[in-house]
């Protein structure tokens, strides 16, 4: 899959100066900006919506990797597309018709991601692989930053990697939750090529974003 990409999650940023944080991430070498959208219904936590994304959009040309943890998801796709999302990732459990949600995202000319929670089976995504750009494997229960990595999801990563390779598909495998300097190598070996990280990037080494992004990339 080529180069490893790092997608820092702004969930761990200081929201009182979100714009500056995004600029700092860009300067520190982030490939994408991971934006966690939570509705207090699909997941227990509530974060931000399209209005905030719209406000930070003019600050950077970095790819906005928008992870929607909202249900139902369809009626908000257009809003997130218009706000400036580049990749729109949803959970299959948050829609009645996965194919329809994929079409709605494609209609906006955005890249499509499907996310699997730790207990969600590959079957939920298998029939759709040809139509999507990215699979986001959750390595914690979605809802909060700073949780512990669940190594049992590595099997799922390996299985998906195998299917993608066999079918010669151009689908990225992204991992999200509890990524740190101890497990970054293992997840890459399993087949991941995009690493999301909030706590590690913002908190390790006294918040040295550049160092932490580089360590996750090369470790
Ligand atoms: C959790 C979010 C993650 C989270 C990652 O629901 O999807 O993106 O912010 O944070 P860390 O790296 O702290 O686990
Ligand atoms: Zn996320």
């Amino acid at each position: 899959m080529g180069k490893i990409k790092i997608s820092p999650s702004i969930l761990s940023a200081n929201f009182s100066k979100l714009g500056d944080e995004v600029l700092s991430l860009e300067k520190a070498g982030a490939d994408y900006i991971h934006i966690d959208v939570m509705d207090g219904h699909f997941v227990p936590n509530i974060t931000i919506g399209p209005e905030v994304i719209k406000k930070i959009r003019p600050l950077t040309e970095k790819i906005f990797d928008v992870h929607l943890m909202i249900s139902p998801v369809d009626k908000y796709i257009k809003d997130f597309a218009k706000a400036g999302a580049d990749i729109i990732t949803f959970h299959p459990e948050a829609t009645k018709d996965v194919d329809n949600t994929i079409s709605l995202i494609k209609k906006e000319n955005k890249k499509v991601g499907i996310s699997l929670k730790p207990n969600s089976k590959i079957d939920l995504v298998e029939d759709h692989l040809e139509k999507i750009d990215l699979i986001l494997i959750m390595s914690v229960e979605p809802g909060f930053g700073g949780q512990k990595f669940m190594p049992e999801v590595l099997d799922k990563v390996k299985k998906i990697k195998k299917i993608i390779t066999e079918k010669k598909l151009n689908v990225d495998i992204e991992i999200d939750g509890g990524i740190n300097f101890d497990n970054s190598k293992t997840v890459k070996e399993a087949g991941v090529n995009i690493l999301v990280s909030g706590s590690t990037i913002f908190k390790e080494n006294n918040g040295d974003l550049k160092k932490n992004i580089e360590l996750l990339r090369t470790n």
Side-chain angles (χ1 to χ4, degrees):
M1 235 20 255
K3 199 174 152 272
I4 297 291
K5 292 194 167 79
I6 306 297
S7 187
S9 165
I10 57 166
L11 191 57
S12 296
N14 179 343
F15 274 43
S16 74
K17 46 168 191 159
L18 186 55
D20 291 341
E21 297 274 63
V22 170
L23 290 173
S24 302
L25 287 171
E26 174 176 87
K27 222 173 130 198
D31 296 288
Y32 297 170
I33 305 292
H34 187 82
I35 303 176
D36 287 306
V37 177
M38 307 185 188
D39 66 353
H41 167 71
F42 185 73
V43 288
N45 198 5
I46 301 178
T47 56
I48 59 164
E51 286 306 320
V52 174
I53 298 177
K54 206 183 289 173
K55 291 292 188 303
I56 55 173
R57 183 65 280 185
L59 302 176
T60 177
E61 285 180 5
K62 288 280 157 194
I63 287 172
F64 278 4
D65 170 27
V66 176
H67 178 192
L68 298 181
M69 287 161 272
I70 61 173
S71 167
V73 67
D74 286 359
K75 63 177 175 180
Y76 297 105
I77 298 291
K78 208 175 194 147
D79 292 344
F80 284 99
K82 296 275 170 286
D86 297 296
I87 305 168
I88 299 182
T89 296
F90 66 97
H91 286 258
E93 296 91 345
T95 176
K96 284 200 182 94
D97 182 347
V98 171
D99 265 326
N100 185 51
T101 307
I102 293 173
S103 309
L104 290 174
I105 300 172
K106 289 200 164 175
K107 216 160 77 189
E108 300 296 327
N109 285 316
K110 304 299 178 186
K111 292 208 161 153
V112 183
I114 293 186
S115 180
L116 295 179
K117 295 191 277 186
N119 291 321
S120 299
K121 300 264 183 300
I122 293 180
D123 319 13
L124 285 169
V125 71
E126 221 173 333
D127 291 343
H128 309 286
L129 282 176
E130 274 85 0
K131 288 164 277 171
I132 66 174
D133 302 286
L134 177 148
I135 297 180
L136 173 59
I137 301 294
M138 294 298 307
S139 39
V140 298
E141 283 301 332
F144 300 93
Q147 303 182 74
K148 204 173 158 293
F149 177 74
M150 299 168 72
E152 56 268 37
V153 306
L154 286 170
D155 255 359
K156 194 155 57 180
V157 172
K158 286 179 197 158
K159 279 187 192 137
I160 287 171
K161 175 71 183 172
K162 192 164 174 268
I163 299 170
I164 288 173
T165 310
E166 278 171 5
K167 293 190 171 178
K168 297 192 173 65
L169 298 172
N170 189 19
V171 177
D172 289 309
I173 306 180
E174 181 174 41
I175 198 154
D176 185 4
I179 296 301
N180 57 38
F181 305 133
D182 293 326
N183 55 32
S184 52
K185 190 164 191 265
T186 320
V187 300
K188 288 174 208 166
E189 283 169 356
V192 163
N193 69 304
I194 307 173
L195 283 71
V196 174
S197 163
S199 312
T200 297
I201 287 177
F202 281 93
K203 300 203 174 100
E204 289 300 318
N205 295 305
N206 295 313
D208 186 336
L209 303 176
K210 189 171 191 240
K211 184 172 185 179
N212 295 335
I213 287 173
E214 214 37 49
L215 281 172
L216 285 178
R217 199 195 299 284
T218 53
N219 246 20

